[in-house]
Amino acid sequence: MYTEHTSIQHAAALLAMGKVVGIPTETVYGLGACARTPEAIQKVYTIKGRPATNPLIIHISHSAAILEWATNIPNSAWILANHFWPGPLTIVLERHSSVLDVVTAGQNTVALRVPNHPLALALLQEFKGGIAAPSANRSGRISPTTAMHVQEELGDAVEYILDGGPCQIGIESTIVHCRESEVRILRYGQITHKELSAVLGFPLTMDSHTPIHVPGSHHSHYAPVSPLFLLESKALSEKISSCIAHNKNISIISFSEQGSLVPSQYAHRINWIQAALDPQIYANNLYAWLREMDNQNPDCILVETPPITLAWVAIQDRLQRASYRK
Ligand code: TXA
Ligand code: MG
């Protein structure tokens, strides 16, 4: 059974004891642990089933705390931190020598972020230290956007999940690597390269060859258990007809209306989500939709490809990974 927890003091005390805590952020829920306690970090890897080669983001309470975790900090990082924090931007920098190897997976860089959620910020202030937190899902699965999802994902392995309501953004932060005037995007998120370069005053480095290793950017990620197909509207219509002909149970996320693609006598056999053509509303709902659909165990999940525009890049990225099959 789900019990709502909201005590900042209790969550901070658990972190100080080396325990893990579910944490709300504006992007997705995190599985937090004290960033200075190796045993606590180890629990995060074990609970998630995360490969030891995949480093964690350290959440801090304010920009100046960068100095405790990173070194040789370029001006670009300060500009981005001062503009976008608290917010959905993670900045990868050269690590400070004191940062635990288990957090950075042995890399010489560290990922930092100030989350924009009142409970996360209150917890960081109460705890008075960095909180290492990956998304609170089992490795490779859909990130949780409510406290209840965290419990569904991780069950009794996490004794306390701080409930901050549904996440406002719904997909993970944009990650950038800052080195002098070379700023590269390592993971797409709500903050686009256009917004970043407008604030920096110079273009981002866009070549696909990145010297930085992002172990978490596997092709297959954010994946439901049921196979997910990402299809243009014509292919979607054909796939629906073929599924109906083969008596399959299907779940669909589409921009088109159900009546235009499914004969009315079959409508009851299909779990249809009519998506708004607004990337922020879509991102906000995407993981909850996929989770809800997956729970019904359909033969497949069909998703209509979103527009190929900058505002949809992060969503395209997540859907492509969710649909990737080896
Ligand atoms: O919105 C978010 O970023 C959420 C919330 C909880 O803050 N966190 C999140 O963490 O998405 P996670 O661990 O699920 O994804 C972090 C990604 C991984 O792909 C990891 O490989 C990459 O960041 N990463 C972490 N540290 C890195 C580093 N030093 N260099 C390059 N990539 C790094
Ligand atoms: Mg994740």
Side-chain angles (χ1 to χ4, degrees), residues 206-284:
M206 297 297 284
D207 57 31
S208 57
H209 172 77
T210 160
I212 276 286
H213 185 44
V214 192
S217 62
H218 300 302
H219 286 303
S220 167
H221 210 137
Y222 315 107
V225 175
S226 315
L228 185 150
F229 296 87
L230 186 57
L231 303 161
E232 305 288 345
S233 64
K234 187 161 175 288
L236 174 66
S237 160
E238 288 163 8
K239 182 81 178 169
I240 292 173
S241 304
S242 127
C243 285
I244 289 174
H246 291 92
N247 250 329
K248 303 254 191 229
N249 286 319
I250 43 177
S251 291
I252 301 177
I253 303 174
S254 162
F255 298 105
S256 317
E257 284 186 22
Q258 181 168 9
S260 67
L261 292 177
V262 179
S264 57
Q265 69 269 34
Y266 298 115
H268 66 279
R269 284 194 5 215
I270 296 175
N271 176 15
W272 191 279
I273 286 173
Q274 175 83 47
L277 253 174
D278 176 321
Q280 289 188 11
I281 298 175
Y282 195 106
N284 192 238

Side-chain angles (χ1 to χ4, degrees), residues 48 135 137 143 221:
K48 272 185 69 90
S135 51
N137 49 285
S143 298
H221 210 137

Side-chain angles (χ1 to χ4, degrees), residues 87-109:
L89 181 71
T90 295
I91 304 180
V92 173
L93 294 163
E94 192 177 326
R95 74 191 266 190
H96 190 284
S97 57
S98 66
V99 182
L100 294 173
D101 268 344
V102 66
V103 172
T104 67
Q107 300 203 63
N108 66 348
T109 54

